[in-house]
Amino acid sequence: MNIDLGQQQLKIERLKAELGNLSTEGSTAYNLRYLESPGITYSDPVEAIDVDLEDVFIYPNLQQVGKLEGMYGDLALSVDNLKAIPKNFDLDHPTFYQWNSIEFASIKIKGTLPERDNKENKEEKDPLPDLFFQKVKLDQLHLDLNMSNSIRLYATGNDLMVANGQVVSGETQVEHLEMKIQQAAYTSDQISYSIGPAEINSDSMSVIEAVVVKTAPGDTISVDRIELGPWEKTFNETTMDQLLVVQLKYIQAGSTQKSTSDSIRLNNINWKASAGPYADQVNIYAPNIYISSKKPSNSPEKKEAGIFPLKMFGEILIDSGQISIDENKIQFDQVHMNLRGNRKKINLKDLAFVTNSSSLHIHHIWNSDTDLNIDSVTVVPNLEYLNGIETERDVMAGQFYRITIQDIVWDSLIDHNKMIANGILLDGFDVSIRRDKTLPDPEHITKPVLLTEIIPSIANFHIPRISTNKGNISYHEVGEKTAKEGHISINDINITLNRYQPITSPEKVLHGTAKLYDQGKMQVEYHRLDSGRFYLQVHLEDFSLEALNQMVDPLESTKIVSGHLSEFSFHIIADSTRAVGEALISYDDLHVEFFKRGSPEEKSFGSELLTVLVDNIILKHSKSKAQADFERERITFKGPTNYWVKSAIKGAITAVRKGKGVKPGKR
């Protein structure tokens, strides 16, 4: 039987059908008893649609097609042995949206999806009806689709079964899904995915192997195996018992970053459409990340990678791992963070920063209520590096004891990766700094003027106050003139460093106390006046000047035989070129000796003569409140502390040589 529908043609072979209660008034209604045909053909030249059906059987309780072959433009569809059993099929009002089961022996789709006309796309269409089914079964699947925007989808699989599924308003919910996939791939201009064999089962363990993701710039992510625990999908939420990623590798375009991990395990995953993903626990084993700061000339511009918010996890456990940045390394051991509820817990056994010059070891990071604590930090120089130093520079070693980051805003850290706290308390430190001035000067680079300029501003890191107690600094210097080593020690350091205001605003940045060679009492105060000037005030009292022999004797071949400093103070206002200030000094019984250069215990005629001239003629053995104004030029390639020390020395020498006594009540 041929039916002419205008431009469309319908051909039905040996039709057997029974319809009852046929009516065409208003709308067509019928009572379908059955329909059988060994072949049905439909064609629409305008839409480029051709469909051939074989062995069609439609009954109230069973609908079956032996074979379907169709073309839609360049898209070919082939279906074998379609059998569907409707649910509660109403003869008077038949619908095709509720099914007990739908089964296919095979589905093959190959070709290019036709592009829809833009005008047609803009027209409002009736929404698709909701679909309900108890079971869908597919024995064989083969997809090879070319879609718009250079997108290609390829997949082969078998033994697909979906139970108790619903499609409502475009959203899907299934109670059970299982399938075997031999191979699947998705490619586009921007990204491509591919997987090897996979076995999916929502009620037990699913395994996906050989996962590879590539981006257009050339980044590659590969995973040997992914294991998924039982999972369930509803309209608004997906839950999963666990997800295990085995042998993860990431290579960034141009090899600027490489990452590996033995495995990553996420437990009790919940993904709500309104809130995003959340895993109650994540375990990361042996992470290893390499980052190169050398960007290839042909490397594309990249946006900074975002860090997953900590709020995505209830508990984080990281095994021993390493992050390498060029030749530098960050090594860590046993990280544990419990972020559930109001009482957060953080525990990190050891963290090390290793460079070619030194290593910094952080021992045991843990928290107590609102504070984050570090038991100690050790700085160790690299001996091989020390032996190979070719220019003058500072080499530091030492230990910092209990460090407390106080009153952390945990919600900001966990939800936004932003560290906000009231301050840092450093409870003791012992630091040794050594400088060899017999070596050539390093390259002259203009250094910062302000103290706050050498303290880096770190994004997402706001801690406005740092306080220290019971600190000790020992500075060792190999003299350029004598090649001998002297040292100066500052003990019992207690300081507070503030950074509440922007660098352009006035602020009392530093104030504190200390002892010079564990005896003289010293007070320091430092103010930032604006973006380029500072005010510094230092006061030292009750100090035996003979202690300075530990520095001046080996470096200057000069010995202070006796002398007691009652007080020395100075203050300066300084900018990027010079410091201008005032110094005051009081001392008694000052006597000095000069020795032969290079032989601290041997006098020469010149050193004897210099001793007589300075100690007996030029030098005043005692002075009381001798005050003098002074100026000191800045050495631009030296840092802020060098500026301070040179200003202090210039002030002391000027006050000793030219200072005049201050009348009572005038200072």
Side-chain angles (χ1 to χ4, degrees), residues 48 50 68-79 107-114 142-146:
D50 291 289
L68 183 153
E69 296 283 351
M71 293 292 298
Y72 182 17
D74 187 42
L75 181 67
L77 170 66
S78 177
V79 178
I107 295 178
K108 295 180 181 179
I109 305 175
K110 184 177 182 179
T112 302
L113 285 177
H142 183 96
L143 295 178
D144 191 354
L145 293 176
N146 293 311

Side-chain angles (χ1 to χ4, degrees), residues 281-383:
Q281 185 183 79
V282 58
N283 295 264
I284 304 174
Y285 297 93
N288 195 322
I289 300 171
Y290 168 77
I291 301 170
S292 173
S293 62
K294 300 172 184 177
K295 183 178 177 182
S297 58
N298 60 347
S299 178
E301 291 292 332
K302 285 181 172 289
K303 295 181 179 180
E304 291 294 326
I307 301 175
F308 286 119
L310 293 176
K311 67 178 180 179
M312 287 178 55
F313 310 105
E315 185 176 15
I316 301 173
L317 297 100
I318 306 176
D319 194 23
S320 301
Q322 177 173 285
I323 301 173
S324 301
I325 305 173
D326 296 328
E327 302 301 322
N328 305 320
K329 296 180 177 62
I330 302 172
Q331 300 167 336
F332 47 88
D333 185 26
Q334 297 180 13
V335 181
H336 180 205
M337 303 173 67
N338 188 334
L339 308 175
R340 304 183 189 95
N342 295 324
R343 296 182 67 84
K344 317 299 182 187
K345 289 295 179 184
I346 296 176
N347 198 305
L348 194 160
K349 185 177 179 182
D350 285 299
L351 180 65
F353 298 84
V354 181
T355 70
N356 65 338
S357 60
S358 63
S359 59
L360 184 147
H361 298 268
I362 301 175
H363 307 286
H364 194 197
I365 302 175
W366 54 283
N367 75 304
S368 54
D369 295 330
T370 60
D371 297 341
L372 186 66
N373 308 287
I374 300 172
D375 281 356
S376 65
V377 176
T378 304
V379 180
V380 181
N382 184 330
L383 292 179

Side-chain angles (χ1 to χ4, degrees), residues 172-186:
T172 304
Q173 173 178 309
V174 297
E175 187 175 298
H176 175 77
L177 169 67
E178 61 180 85
M179 184 181 185
K180 294 178 182 178
I181 299 173
Q182 283 77 47
Q183 188 179 5
Y186 170 92

Side-chain angles (χ1 to χ4, degrees), residues 136-156:
V136 172
K137 188 174 181 298
L138 171 61
D139 293 338
Q140 294 286 337
L141 172 66
H142 183 96
L143 295 178
D144 191 354
L145 293 176
N146 293 311
M147 294 176 275
S148 59
N149 301 321
S150 302
I151 295 174
R152 181 173 182 252
L153 176 64
Y154 176 85
T156 59

Side-chain angles (χ1 to χ4, degrees), residues 564-618:
H564 181 267
L565 180 74
S566 299
E567 69 170 319
F568 168 63
S569 62
F570 77 94
H571 63 268
I572 57 172
I573 292 178
D575 58 21
S576 61
T577 58
R578 66 169 48 84
V580 177
E582 184 180 73
L584 180 145
I585 194 166
S586 297
Y587 60 89
D588 297 298
D589 193 27
L590 176 60
H591 294 275
V592 298
E593 286 184 334
F594 296 92
F595 296 90
K596 184 178 179 180
R597 186 63 54 83
S599 302
E601 299 301 327
E602 183 180 344
K603 292 186 177 181
S604 64
F605 174 76
S607 62
E608 289 273 17
L609 180 60
L610 187 59
T611 298
V612 171
L613 289 174
V614 174
D615 192 54
N616 295 320
I617 299 175
I618 299 175

Side-chain angles (χ1 to χ4, degrees), residues 62-65 80-85 99 101-105 137:
L62 174 64
Q63 297 170 17
Q64 184 171 309
V65 177
D80 288 335
N81 295 330
L82 165 62
K83 183 170 72 173
I85 300 176
W99 306 90
S101 67
I102 304 174
E103 298 181 8
F104 304 86
K137 188 174 181 298

Side-chain angles (χ1 to χ4, degrees), residues 269-288:
I269 303 164
N270 182 284
W271 194 322
K272 293 182 179 178
S274 59
Y278 173 83
D280 186 60
Q281 185 183 79
V282 58
N283 295 264
I284 304 174
Y285 297 93
N288 195 322

